[in-house]
């Protein structure tokens, strides 16, 4: 059954897309987290914090963000696509806000329980 095999690959594709999206987002998220943590300890100035942070700290922070957020992003995007396609037609014709909100809540909850 070609359709059955494609459905399995489609789920993997959604998971991969979510993981890649979170990994790309970590390029901006890591400096923001480092600045946030360092400013909480009393460091002054964003550029000072960025300049004073060692390469090992950058890599350790990036590894922590990748190991924490990338699997969750992959699962959440895959669940979002599956739940969104499974919504009843009547519900999806109401307002676009309600189905999208329900889909986000359900997929985020499932991904959070798994992780």
């Amino acid at each position: 059954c070609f359709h059955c095999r494609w459905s399995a690959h489609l789920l993997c594709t959604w998971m991969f897309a979510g993981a890649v999206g979170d990994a790309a987002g970590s390029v901006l998220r890591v400096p923001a987290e480092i600045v946030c943590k360092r400013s909480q300890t009393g460091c002054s100035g964003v550029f000072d914090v960025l300049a004073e942070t060692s390469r090992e700290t950058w890599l350790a922070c990036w590894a922590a963000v990748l190991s924490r957020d990338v699997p969750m992003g992959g699962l959440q995007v895959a669940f979002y696509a599956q739940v969104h396609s499974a919504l009843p037609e009547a519900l999806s014709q109401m307002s676009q806000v309600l189905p999208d909100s329900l889909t986000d809540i359900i997929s985020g909850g499932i991904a959070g329980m798994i992780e």
Side-chain angles (χ1 to χ4, degrees):
C1 169
F2 176 75
H3 179 68
C4 298
R5 287 187 301 216
W6 175 245
S7 295
H9 293 294
L10 186 60
L11 182 64
C12 292
T13 303
W14 281 113
M15 288 179 71
F16 181 73
V20 168
D22 261 333
S26 71
V27 171
L28 297 175
R29 190 171 35 241
V30 168
E33 286 193 19
I34 289 176
V35 168
C36 179
K37 299 299 180 199
R38 297 290 295 273
S39 64
Q40 289 173 351
T41 61
C43 290
S44 63
V46 172
F47 294 110
D48 293 338
V49 170
L50 294 175
E52 294 171 0
T53 304
S54 69
R55 183 176 184 195
E56 292 79 21
T57 303
W58 283 104
L59 292 176
C61 187
W62 197 50
V65 167
L66 288 178
S67 66
R68 178 189 69 203
D69 294 345
V70 169
M72 177 71 165
L75 289 172
Q76 192 165 357
V77 169
F79 290 143
Y80 178 86
Q82 292 299 313
V83 170
H84 192 69
S85 67
L87 283 176
E89 186 66 29
L91 183 62
S92 65
Q93 289 179 359
M94 294 169 79
S95 165
Q96 194 58 34
V97 174
L98 181 61
D100 285 345
S101 297
L102 288 175
T103 304
D104 286 340
I105 291 168
I106 292 168
S107 61
I110 292 171
M113 286 188 296
I114 290 175
E115 197 173 60

